[in-house]
Amino acid sequence: MSSPEVGHPPSTAADTDRRTMVLDSAMVTFARFGYRKTSMEEVARAARISRPGLYFLFSSKETLFRAAVSQALDRDITAVERVLADTDRPLLERLVEAFDQWAGRYIGPLTSDVAVVIEDNPDLLGEIIETPRRRFEELITDAIAIKSGREAAPSVAQTMISASIGLKHQVASREVYLERLEVAIDLLLR
């Protein structure tokens, strides 16, 4: 899902590791201060690189933000794919873990800020956010189709996603989110 506008491409494994670390630091900084209040200076400080070094990797704050969000969503989707592919585990267990990888880890005092900064800046993100959302729905639908049948699967998946979104806004902890989500998924799979 990498975008060609994301600055200079990494040339070595060390460059890739450094870029990953910078993007992780950027996400934390954007989550802490919000997109508008975050400066490239703050991101550079958090990433422990110089501001010119940051600009070498990313030509603007918008490019950096888009790359950081893209990296986070790529990780989330990869984790969801891995979890759902493990068909030796019960479907309920796989679905709960898939939702945890997609949304549950963003629940709580600090981590919820990551979701908020993403949700508050849809104009900057466009397809960067929409493509993984569609992919997540497809993955959930495909997993459900095996048990519920192809015809019922899309509406069951959409209902699970709606339940997840509602729970994210109702609960204060990841643990409570997972407990309630497991009940909802179990009911929907019957």
Side-chain angles (χ1 to χ4, degrees), residues 88-118:
D88 291 338
R89 295 172 50 207
L91 180 59
L92 173 64
E93 188 179 301
R94 289 184 291 136
L95 287 169
V96 170
E97 188 175 341
F99 275 95
D100 186 37
Q101 292 296 323
W102 180 249
R105 62 191 201 90
Y106 295 111
I107 296 172
L110 179 61
T111 55
S112 65
D113 295 341
V114 171
V116 169
V117 79
I118 291 171

Side-chain angles (χ1 to χ4, degrees), residues 127-168:
E127 280 302 306
I128 288 174
I129 190 85
E130 288 309 314
T131 300
R133 282 182 181 160
R134 283 191 301 272
R135 179 69 180 138
F136 178 73
E137 185 174 336
E138 288 171 8
L139 290 166
I140 297 298
T141 301
D142 290 347
I144 294 167
I146 295 166
K147 178 172 172 105
S148 301
R150 182 52 59 198
E151 194 171 310
S155 61
V156 172
Q158 290 166 358
T159 304
M160 284 181 190
I161 291 167
S162 295
S164 170
I165 292 167
L167 288 170
K168 271 178 55 176

Side-chain angles (χ1 to χ4, degrees), residues 32-102:
R32 183 173 178 203
F33 298 111
Y35 175 77
R36 291 192 178 151
K37 292 183 182 177
T38 296
S39 70
M40 292 292 273
E41 181 68 36
E42 288 162 334
V43 173
R45 190 175 17 253
R48 296 187 176 140
I49 65 171
S50 68
R51 201 173 84 187
L54 181 60
Y55 275 106
F56 176 76
L57 293 171
F58 303 97
S59 60
S60 68
K61 182 169 83 168
E62 179 180 337
T63 301
L64 173 62
F65 180 65
R66 291 170 59 89
V69 170
S70 182
Q71 175 178 279
L73 292 172
D74 281 347
R75 281 185 189 157
D76 293 348
I77 285 295
T78 299
V80 168
E81 289 171 339
R82 179 188 44 77
V83 166
L84 292 175
D86 185 5
T87 56
D88 291 338
R89 295 172 50 207
L91 180 59
L92 173 64
E93 188 179 301
R94 289 184 291 136
L95 287 169
V96 170
E97 188 175 341
F99 275 95
D100 186 37
Q101 292 296 323
W102 180 249

Side-chain angles (χ1 to χ4, degrees), residues 106-112 167-177 180:
Y106 295 111
I107 296 172
L110 179 61
T111 55
S112 65
L167 288 170
K168 271 178 55 176
H169 296 289
Q170 292 177 0
V171 300
S173 74
R174 185 177 187 175
E175 293 76 24
V176 174
Y177 166 81
R180 289 189 184 175

